[in-house]
Amino acid sequence: MSAKPSLIKRIFGFIWNTVNGIRKLFLNIIFFGFIALIVVALTSEEEITIEDQSALVLNLAGSIVDQKRHVDPIEAVFKQGNSNDPESEMLLADIIYVIDNATHDQRINSIVLKMGNLRSAGISKMTAIGDSLDKFKAAGKIVVAVGNAYEQNQYFLASYADTIYLNNKGAVSLEGLSSYRLFFKSALEKLNISTHVFRVGTFKSAVEPFIRDDMSAPAKEASSALLNDLWQNYESIVAANRQIETQNIVLSPQRYLTELDAVKGDSAQMAVNMKWVDKLVSDEEFRLAMLESVGKEANGDSYKQISFSEYYSLVQPMPSIIEQESVGIVVAKGNILNGKQQAGQIGGESTSALLKKARFDDKVKAVVLRVDSPGGSAFASEKIRQEVIALKQAGKPVVVSMGSLAASGGYWISASADYIYATPSTLTGSIGIFGMFATFEKVLENWGINSDGVSTSEWAGISATRELDPNVSAVIQRHIEHGYHEFISLVATERDMTLEQVDRIAQGRVWSGTRAVELGLVDDIGDMDSAIAKAAEMAEIEVFDTKVIEQELTTEQIFMQKMLVSFASYMPEATTQSPMVEQFMGQWSSVAEELTQYDDPNGMYMYCENCNY
């Protein structure tokens, strides 16, 4: 009787040993392959040199962000080298740092803007880059932009160039701004899903897609005013940069057809006629133009140039050996969630820990909180704000620099700062609160499934499988109303306003940075440099460093990162989805992601739904 189990055991033991041996062999091949590639990369690496009168090529791709999200190292390797990857990210601070260094670098005489793969940035971030480009031009240097085509965001940045080159078969797409969303009320009803919504604020429309089939009149009113405000800022900057009239930026369909007919349907020539671009060129014609401008490189047939990544590797700041007094910078970018979150998201625990780290660092005398967030969990937002208060109580001034958006929960964590800066196109405000969850009793009933039982109270019987008791619903609504009162009370206290004044400009409404200053929600218009200077002034320090307070990598993560960077250059370029599929899937994935992030322990959220322009 014992022989049979023994035989089975030996058979399975043999199979396991074989599988385990193959696994170890495979892992060893990968590991030693990595090591070999690192050795090759290190031994064969050529020294980067910059020839005199070279062009700095800014090939901006993916998204421009204040903080990169955490990416798994293995995933990063397989995406490395893919400039078409819509999920790739570039730090705004790095781009500005590179341009500012090139401004004072005698070896660089021009910048070439290439933005064919730039997906998103936000007007405020592009304006900051544009300001640096203006300083570059003021130093007597040249900026040119070249592209096969320009979509609206790309064109905004291109407008800062002295000369805009367009492929002779290309086009410029300028449409203005819009705000359209998907609405699910009828779909949820057909699925028999009961959606329970609790909110305060006439304009707090984050939950509208789940309770309506169209946009409400107040939401349309607020969105229309905001879009007009943002677009006016876009038009005025582009018109000034290109020295054209604002009415010549976005044309009515009738006028567009007239202008197109005048050039027999040639979109590229129409772009020249409208003064959107300066010259039409092929790739070869652009190469020849740059050869004439900067000269031919020593080895090869191209013009003298250095890429963004190569130039940054040469000029990137080295860690200071001698620590001195500093202004700490904490980046709060992404949705506000509970607990510890990776870089690229705001965590109630993790972001609070960064602020606490700045508080206990004796060399950090003031803090700039860079906020780029539509909000999220009310509970997590308050935990972060409490750390802002603790910093102030420790005698360290806190200045907020608002990026593209600092709305709802993003405004909550900003409100208690000593001073708040926004850019003209920052989206802020959205002072409101809501709660939402779904129950599925009707869905289950359709399938013949019913929930029944007993409980010691109405609270104990709350379940996603049972109908919500109206009395419980009334209690939840009262909690939401209390949360809204706390929100406007906080703003009234911190901004020296009355509750009535705050309530009139709150109600969930989103404002541009320019309007926020007029309304008293923000102190001044300014960029990151303005915020750093203000923080230093308030801390009464004249000589100082800036110190980014961020999550520290472990020794293993640092090793893995360096190893994979060397390995990545040998990987083939990854493939991507088609833009249409990518756009369609992106809409649905964003909805799914939004639903899964509702994790506030009290079920209350401060989130701006109109912050994706």
Side-chain angles (χ1 to χ4, degrees), residues 401-413:
S401 169
M402 293 180 169
S404 296
L405 59 150
S408 218
Y411 188 80
W412 180 281
I413 66 176

Side-chain angles (χ1 to χ4, degrees), residues 198-200 433-434 474-488 604:
F198 312 91
R199 62 173 174 167
V200 181
I433 191 165
F434 71 91
V475 171
I476 296 173
Q477 178 62 30
R478 190 62 52 85
H479 276 297
I480 297 297
E481 290 168 1
H482 175 70
Y484 178 73
H485 181 76
E486 284 191 320
F487 203 157
I488 63 173
M604 294 193 293

Side-chain angles (χ1 to χ4, degrees), residues 158-344:
S159 73
Y160 285 89
D162 295 290
T163 305
I164 301 179
Y165 292 93
L166 174 68
N167 187 282
N168 45 31
K169 294 299 180 183
V172 176
S173 300
L174 302 172
E175 306 94 8
L177 299 176
S178 65
S179 176
Y180 290 92
R181 307 172 67 189
L182 296 176
F183 291 81
F184 311 106
K185 177 177 178 288
S186 293
L188 293 171
E189 288 175 349
K190 288 178 181 178
L191 294 170
N192 277 326
I193 297 174
S194 303
T195 306
H196 307 282
V197 171
F198 312 91
R199 62 173 174 167
V200 181
T202 305
F203 300 98
K204 198 65 188 169
S205 55
V207 295
E208 283 194 353
F210 305 99
I211 60 174
R212 296 179 59 94
D213 284 325
D214 58 1
M215 186 182 289
S216 67
K220 284 186 176 181
E221 175 194 339
S223 294
S224 179
L226 180 63
L227 289 179
N228 287 332
D229 217 5
L230 295 176
W231 184 246
Q232 186 177 28
N233 185 52
Y234 181 104
E235 278 187 329
S236 62
I237 291 174
V238 170
N241 287 345
R242 295 297 300 166
Q243 296 183 350
I244 57 178
E245 298 296 326
T246 55
Q247 62 265 28
N248 289 336
I249 294 176
V250 173
L251 310 181
S252 68
Q254 295 86 347
R255 187 178 171 200
Y256 194 102
L257 187 59
T258 299
E259 297 291 345
L260 199 59
D261 286 343
V263 291
K264 299 180 180 179
D266 189 335
S267 297
Q269 187 56 52
M270 175 183 161
V272 174
N273 289 357
M274 296 304 302
K275 297 184 180 178
W276 294 340
V277 302
D278 299 293
K279 296 181 180 180
L280 303 180
V281 292
S282 64
D283 289 346
E284 174 60 13
E285 287 168 338
F286 179 72
R287 184 185 74 89
L288 294 174
M290 290 305 297
L291 284 176
E292 184 177 343
S293 176
V294 301
K296 185 179 177 183
E297 62 185 356
N299 299 310
D301 297 316
S302 187
Y303 57 90
K304 289 186 287 187
Q305 61 183 275
I306 185 169
S307 69
F308 169 84
S309 58
E310 289 175 333
Y311 190 71
Y312 182 74
S313 69
L314 290 178
V315 301
Q316 62 182 316
M318 299 297 292
S320 178
I321 299 175
I322 302 174
E323 284 196 53
Q324 62 179 16
E325 293 179 330
S326 63
V327 172
I329 298 172
V330 175
V331 177
K333 180 255 182 186
N335 292 332
I336 302 176
L337 309 174
N338 282 288
K340 296 180 179 178
Q341 303 295 332
Q342 299 277 14

Side-chain angles (χ1 to χ4, degrees), residues 48 50 56-58 68 90-102 105 107-108 306-319 548 550:
I48 300 172
I50 306 177
L56 170 62
V57 179
L58 291 184
K68 291 185 179 181
M90 300 181 75
L91 282 177
L92 172 65
D94 288 350
I95 297 170
I96 292 175
Y97 180 81
V98 161
I99 297 173
D100 290 348
N101 270 273
D105 192 331
R107 299 167 296 178
I108 304 294
I306 185 169
S307 69
F308 169 84
S309 58
E310 289 175 333
Y311 190 71
Y312 182 74
S313 69
L314 290 178
V315 301
Q316 62 182 316
M318 299 297 292
V548 178
E550 56 190 347

Side-chain angles (χ1 to χ4, degrees), residues 327 329 368 399 421 527-537 544 546:
V327 172
I329 298 172
V368 170
V399 177
Y421 283 101
D527 56 13
M528 189 67 172
D529 288 340
S530 303
I532 292 170
K534 185 68 174 181
E537 176 192 325
F544 61 92
T546 55

Side-chain angles (χ1 to χ4, degrees), residues 246-527:
T246 55
Q247 62 265 28
N248 289 336
I249 294 176
V250 173
L251 310 181
S252 68
Q254 295 86 347
R255 187 178 171 200
Y256 194 102
L257 187 59
T258 299
E259 297 291 345
L260 199 59
D261 286 343
V263 291
K264 299 180 180 179
D266 189 335
S267 297
Q269 187 56 52
M270 175 183 161
V272 174
N273 289 357
M274 296 304 302
K275 297 184 180 178
W276 294 340
V277 302
D278 299 293
K279 296 181 180 180
L280 303 180
V281 292
S282 64
D283 289 346
E284 174 60 13
E285 287 168 338
F286 179 72
R287 184 185 74 89
L288 294 174
M290 290 305 297
L291 284 176
E292 184 177 343
S293 176
V294 301
K296 185 179 177 183
E297 62 185 356
N299 299 310
D301 297 316
S302 187
Y303 57 90
K304 289 186 287 187
Q305 61 183 275
I306 185 169
S307 69
F308 169 84
S309 58
E310 289 175 333
Y311 190 71
Y312 182 74
S313 69
L314 290 178
V315 301
Q316 62 182 316
M318 299 297 292
S320 178
I321 299 175
I322 302 174
E323 284 196 53
Q324 62 179 16
E325 293 179 330
S326 63
V327 172
I329 298 172
V330 175
V331 177
K333 180 255 182 186
N335 292 332
I336 302 176
L337 309 174
N338 282 288
K340 296 180 179 178
Q341 303 295 332
Q342 299 277 14
Q345 293 281 27
I346 303 170
E349 298 292 340
S350 50
T351 303
S352 295
L354 297 179
L355 293 168
K356 186 180 295 183
K357 184 178 178 181
R359 175 156 52 98
F360 289 118
D361 189 331
D362 292 336
K363 293 294 183 181
V364 174
K365 301 302 180 183
V367 171
V368 170
L369 179 60
R370 174 69 169 184
V371 181
D372 195 5
S373 171
S377 163
F379 182 81
S381 299
E382 173 57 15
K383 282 189 70 70
I384 294 166
R385 191 189 72 86
Q386 289 170 6
E387 283 301 326
V388 171
I389 296 295
L391 269 166
K392 294 170 61 179
Q393 290 173 342
K396 298 188 177 186
V398 180
V399 177
V400 162
S401 169
M402 293 180 169
S404 296
L405 59 150
S408 218
Y411 188 80
W412 180 281
I413 66 176
S414 305
S416 295
D418 293 291
Y419 207 83
I420 302 175
Y421 283 101
T423 71
S425 55
T426 294
L427 303 184
T428 190
S430 189
I431 299 168
I433 191 165
F434 71 91
M436 186 183 76
F437 62 90
T439 55
F440 303 90
E441 70 279 0
K442 294 178 182 177
V443 179
L444 296 173
E445 188 178 343
N446 280 350
W447 289 91
I449 302 171
N450 295 281
S451 174
D452 195 15
V454 296
S455 62
T456 59
S457 74
E458 290 87 349
W459 301 106
I462 295 176
S463 168
T465 62
R466 301 184 68 245
E467 183 180 359
L468 185 65
D469 186 292
N471 294 319
V472 172
S473 178
V475 171
I476 296 173
Q477 178 62 30
R478 190 62 52 85
H479 276 297
I480 297 297
E481 290 168 1
H482 175 70
Y484 178 73
H485 181 76
E486 284 191 320
F487 203 157
I488 63 173
S489 297
L490 167 69
V491 177
T493 300
E494 299 293 355
R495 303 303 301 173
D496 194 22
M497 302 166 72
T498 66
L499 283 175
E500 292 74 19
Q501 286 175 318
V502 177
D503 189 44
R504 281 197 297 270
I505 61 175
Q507 299 288 326
R509 185 158 184 169
V510 185
W511 303 100
S512 68
T514 302
R515 290 285 290 132
V517 173
E518 296 171 1
L519 296 169
L521 294 174
V522 168
D523 291 297
D524 205 353
I525 294 297
D527 56 13

